[in-house]
Amino acid sequence: RMLQLVLESAPAATNSVQEEDRSGELMGIVNWFAVHPTSMNSTNQLISGDNKGYASYLMEKEYNEDRMQIGNEKQHKFVAAFASTNLGDVSPNTAGPKCLDSGLPCDPITSTCHGHNEMCVAFGPGRDMFESTEIIGKKQYDKAVELLNNVLSNKDQTRMNAGQIKSRHSFIDMRGLNVTLENGDMVQTCHAAIGYGFAAGTMDGHGAFDFKQGSNSSNPFWNMVGGFLSKPSKHQTKCHAPKPILLNTGYIHLPYDWDPNTVPISLFQINNLFILNVPGEFTTMAGRRLRKAMHQILSAAGYHDAKVTIAGISNTYTHYITTHEEYQGQRYEAASTLYGPFTLDAYLQEFSRLMHDLLEDRPSLTDPPPKDAAKKQLALLPDVEVDMIGVGYKFGSVVKNTKDSYPTSGTEIAKVIFRSSNPRSNPKIQDTFLTVEQLDAKGKWHVWLTDADWDTKYIWQGGMTYLGTSFAEIHW
């Protein structure tokens, strides 16, 4: 189910975020739909917004007046944000994982083929990753347009009157946080750690070295490797059980913390819409339990028609959050649940506290914020010192030209190669690396496609192997 928020200067709708300026012009939407943007698999080496980016592209193309006016912000007012929610265990590759060598389904527990994870890859629903991206993105776009049209045509009756906009925010130190369960038992979260199943990857992106999902036992060799960085104590090992610890990230601080020990959580209220901002990827069931807990609090406070959504991967990244039951299986998501088996219970407790604070108009307690590590960040990619072009050549000169003509059926791809600079020399913010132009009957050229279009590809070739020279290969 997609939740889409629509904000207007007039009364707005709860099933969609639509924003209008004072003139009543539509400015944008924000929606949340639980699916991973992993239709493009690891063989893709081009920058891509994946299925959510494609959905955004379709909608912004539809609702902007003249999307070809490069750099003209007035012509690009409408922004379509297809945001993440509790998508932790939701793959867009609906044909499922299959073994590359046999075509048979992968082992359902370990996601391996003949004991190896590298051969297990998920596919579908399209013939290749590009078509799959289009299909999944188009489905999200179609639903978003339907919700938006319902609002614009007044068919959606769940409109909000102008009212309250409130928020609460807290930093939570997750190291040994005391958590009270529903049955009254007191438990604690753990210092952050990553399990063996994390290194196995998923069917949308496999790991290496024959790690397997569902691993509840460790390996002496990999224990030794991880121990060079930080060896988990007996208390830490017991705290994370049944997770076998591969990387004891909560105790690794060089050159800075490998995983956050203190996490931000926040809550927004826009009338009867409540947005829970979580610092990780909640699984389907973990998200359901969080929303259910918030609905119970809201219902008791008189908000019987409240809408609750989860804004995932907000403000920092703490990998995944599973239920206690899912944690026992130690598949990828559970192995990536940083703070132990009661991580979800901690978030339920702390978001409940924030919700009560918001509803009762009291300030929220907070732990100290984490240290600012911005000045410590390491960049392993060297700067572009110089762009070479070669003796006797000019930037922009054609190396390989297109054909003189192509079939009107559009079944053949046009390709051209130019001598260029390194694209990192100028990131072309609010601009494009390429334009495909069309000549009209009056002899005037018009921009037809840019690098933002799904029908274009910009492939850069260069670097040290080319002695500092660069080539731009353009497809459309």
Side-chain angles (χ1 to χ4, degrees), residues 122-144:
F123 295 95
R127 292 166 295 181
D128 57 33
M129 60 181 173
F130 295 99
E131 187 177 61
S132 294
T133 300
E134 290 185 73
I135 293 171
I136 298 299
K138 182 67 161 51
K139 288 179 180 292
Q140 294 174 73
Y141 161 76
D142 287 341
K143 189 63 178 179

Side-chain angles (χ1 to χ4, degrees), residues 60-137:
E60 291 181 3
K61 181 179 178 180
E62 176 71 20
Y63 286 92
N64 278 310
E65 292 179 13
D66 187 353
R67 48 177 288 280
M68 293 307 177
Q69 296 298 313
I70 307 300
N72 188 341
E73 292 184 3
K74 291 184 178 180
Q75 300 295 339
H76 293 79
K77 277 189 174 182
F78 183 86
V79 176
F82 286 73
S84 295
T85 180
N86 56 313
L87 47 65
D89 53 355
V90 185
S91 169
N93 299 303
T94 54
K98 294 181 174 60
C99 297
L100 294 177
D101 55 351
S102 66
L104 297 174
C106 304
D107 181 275
I109 303 300
T110 61
S111 294
T112 58
C113 300
H114 322 296
H116 303 286
N117 61 49
E118 293 87 348
M119 298 298 291
C120 179
V121 178
F123 295 95
R127 292 166 295 181
D128 57 33
M129 60 181 173
F130 295 99
E131 187 177 61
S132 294
T133 300
E134 290 185 73
I135 293 171
I136 298 299

Side-chain angles (χ1 to χ4, degrees), residues 177-192:
L177 176 68
N178 290 323
V179 179
T180 303
L181 303 180
E182 285 187 353
N183 62 6
D185 289 349
M186 179 74 74
V187 295
Q188 287 187 327
T189 55
C190 320
H191 283 61

Side-chain angles (χ1 to χ4, degrees), residues 246-311:
L246 176 64
L247 294 173
N248 197 29
T249 55
Y251 289 92
I252 305 176
H253 307 294
L254 292 176
Y256 32 75
D257 290 350
W258 278 38
D259 273 320
N261 292 310
T262 298
V263 303
I265 64 169
S266 59
L267 168 65
F268 298 157
Q269 177 190 2
I270 306 174
N271 298 327
N272 67 333
L273 172 66
F274 295 83
I275 304 172
L276 314 176
N277 306 303
V278 302
E281 302 183 53
F282 276 56
T283 62
T284 300
M285 190 53 66
R288 286 179 179 176
R289 291 183 184 179
L290 178 58
R291 285 196 297 268
K292 180 181 178 181
M294 298 303 102
H295 273 297
Q296 289 175 341
I297 296 171
L298 289 165
S299 181
Y303 286 86
H304 300 295
D305 61 344
K307 305 290 183 181
V308 178
T309 191
I310 295 171

